[in-house]
Amino acid sequence: MTSAGSGLTLLQTCALSLLVFTGASQFALVGALAGGGNPFTAAAGAFFLGVRNAFYGLRLSQLLALPRAVRPFAAQWVIDETTAVALAQPTRRSVRIGFTVTGLTLYVLWNLTTLLGALGADAIGDTDAWGLDAAGPAVFLALLAPMIKTTMERVVAGLAVVLGLGLLPVLPAGVPVLVAALAAPAVLWAEGRRRARIGPDEDDDTVGEER
């Protein structure tokens, strides 16, 4: 709907959803084009937003352990929602099932609604008023929140939020997300320094008290 309202043809709109299966990148690309931006600049912003999926892929490749011939096709479905569902599964079989079912369902529905939206863009009116771009992140957050249990995980999540939101007004689209990803190694480094400073014996006592 948004792309059709920004001047893209029906074919271009559908091709964008088929080939760039990540909502944030699509909205960034279309939004930049709608604002009169350079196509290369718009593509760069979309690329930066999609880079986070590469980090997801590093983790999912270990969990899924798919054959080499299947990996390029599975990579198309590495997005926020499929990652959250896969990480929540207890076994490799359930990880594969969760990833496949979620990816297939979202891919089919996303492209179907893209087609319907492009055909009915004029009838629905102002697409921004519907807040559709927030649906994906909201689902991802709802799936991820129950998995954050330890103090370290809460610190990482909190620091990532601060970095992402704090840098959003001053950095190009997509860059704050990448900077926020540095929260995990930063917290791990700080924790390593803390353990080295207090010594293993005292650290063991602290862990025992927390349990």
Side-chain angles (χ1 to χ4, degrees):
M1 294 179 290
T2 305
S3 61
S6 302
L8 273 69
T9 66
L10 175 63
L11 180 60
Q12 289 172 330
T13 299
C14 292
L16 181 62
S17 279
L18 286 168
L19 300 176
V20 185
F21 182 47
T22 169
S25 295
Q26 291 186 39
F27 279 110
L29 177 63
V30 171
L33 293 177
N38 184 289
F40 294 102
T41 303
F47 171 79
F48 278 120
L49 281 172
V51 165
R52 72 186 188 282
N53 293 339
F55 293 100
Y56 297 159
L58 292 175
R59 178 58 177 150
L60 288 179
S61 64
Q62 300 174 359
L63 295 176
L64 293 169
L66 297 172
R68 290 184 178 273
V70 180
R71 291 177 188 176
F73 301 97
Q76 177 71 352
W77 290 351
V78 176
I79 56 175
D80 296 340
E81 294 80 3
T82 55
T83 301
V85 171
L87 291 176
Q89 306 310 310
T91 65
R92 174 160 293 169
R93 182 174 182 273
S94 61
V95 167
R96 290 179 173 179
I97 293 175
F99 177 84
T100 303
V101 172
T102 305
L104 178 61
T105 302
L106 290 177
Y107 190 74
V108 171
L109 291 178
W110 182 265
N111 284 282
L112 179 60
T113 53
T114 295
L115 175 60
L116 295 176
L119 293 173
D122 294 334
I124 201 166
D126 184 9
T127 56
D128 292 339
W130 292 78
L132 297 178
D133 56 332
V139 172
F140 178 71
L141 181 60
L143 291 169
L144 182 64
M147 301 172 61
I148 302 176
K149 299 177 180 179
T150 68
T151 300
M152 184 178 295
E153 289 170 349
R154 296 189 190 100
V155 172
V156 170
L159 180 58
V161 170
V162 171
L163 288 174
L165 294 181
L167 296 174
L168 191 61
V170 297
L171 293 180
V175 178
V177 177
L178 299 179
V179 176
L182 298 176
V187 171
L188 290 174
W189 175 82
E191 178 65 11
R193 291 290 302 271
R194 185 188 72 84
R195 289 173 181 268
R197 185 171 60 253
I198 65 177
D201 294 336
E202 296 182 28
D203 187 61
D204 289 342
D205 294 339
T206 303
V207 173
E209 293 175 1
E210 291 179 353
R211 291 178 182 174

